[in-house]
Structures are given as C-alpha cells and as structure tokens.
Amino acid sequence: MKIKSLYLCWAGAYSFCLLLSFIPVKAGLLQAIYVLCSLVFFAPGFLLLFQSLRCADRMSLLRVRLISGLSLLLTCIILLLNFLSITGSQALGAVLHVLLLLVSVPMAICGNWLLSLFLWACLFVATFLKKH
C-alpha cells in the first residue's frame, strides 16, 4: 500500500474515532464495536511504521515518531491539567476534556485508557528500531 494512502486511512480513522468519542455509549455490543474501532485506528500507523522500517524511509519514520510522540506528550499534559483543574470552573473542565479527546484519539472510545496509551507508546518506541 502506498504511504500517502496509509496516511489518508489514518486520518480517516482519526476522524471516525473522534466522532465516536462524542457519542456516549458504554455498554453491550456497541461498546465492543467502539473498542474494535479503537484498535483498528492503530493499524495504519503500524503499517506505516513497518513499511518505513522495511524501505528505510527515514522521513516517514520521523513523521510516525512525531505523531505518536506528540499524542503521548499532549495527552499527558492535558490529563495533568485536567486533574489540576478539579477546583476550576465546569467550563474549564469541558474545554480540557474536548482538548483531551482531540489529542488522544482513540482513548475515549477504547474503554481502557491505558490500552490506548500503551499502543501509542509502542508505536513511538518502535520508531527507534534499527533495521539490521
């Protein structure tokens, strides 16, 4: 698959998962579908990673590193701000929640925030692998 197609698939998965994160469903078969969508979200990223490693495409590898690293960093910062804003206004909490949804797709639909963060971290760390 071409690199441009994989980036488009990943952008589409981002948009779809972001849309799902604004629709609250937390039980039954629909929740299982949400979890499946959150796992499928990472497929284009890992395909880009493997293709970049296989073809020694340094630029694509750096893009995947940047995307995954920024997602992890911004998620941690916004989570920390969210915890620190507990005494703040409800509007501040709502803004921070929306920012968290934007930077940490698909964490909100995964059902298990740690799984999503773990997959982002795996994607990030794997960009440091060297082809022998």
Side-chain angles (χ1 to χ4, degrees):
M1 192 173 223
K2 292 184 180 181
I3 297 242
K4 186 176 181 179
S5 299
L6 287 171
Y7 280 113
L8 289 173
C9 286
W10 207 7
Y14 172 87
S15 300
F16 184 68
C17 288
L18 182 62
L19 177 67
L20 288 179
S21 67
F22 288 101
I23 304 169
V25 173
K26 297 295 177 200
L29 179 63
L30 203 48
Q31 178 59 30
I33 292 170
Y34 273 37
V35 172
L36 182 63
C37 288
S38 71
L39 295 175
V40 169
F41 167 83
F42 288 99
F46 279 101
L47 287 172
L48 278 165
L49 171 71
F50 294 134
Q51 191 166 358
S52 299
L53 289 171
R54 187 176 49 101
C55 299
D57 182 357
R58 185 159 169 73
M59 283 306 295
S60 186
L61 191 65
L62 290 175
R63 277 189 213 109
V64 172
R65 182 180 300 161
L66 181 67
I67 291 167
S68 57
L70 277 175
S71 179
L72 283 169
L73 177 66
L74 292 173
T75 297
C76 291
I77 290 170
I78 294 173
L79 270 175
L80 181 63
L81 289 174
N82 217 336
F83 291 140
L84 293 175
S85 73
I86 196 158
T87 58
S89 70
Q90 189 173 4
L92 175 63
V95 167
L96 288 172
H97 181 71
V98 168
L99 285 174
L100 187 61
L101 293 177
L102 289 171
V103 300
S104 62
V105 167
M107 189 170 74
I109 66 168
C110 186
N112 184 344
W113 286 25
L114 289 178
L115 177 60
S116 178
L117 289 173
F118 175 74
L119 291 172
W120 273 120
C122 287
L123 191 58
F124 179 69
V125 169
T127 63
F128 293 98
L129 296 175
K130 294 191 186 218
K131 184 178 177 183
H132 295 287

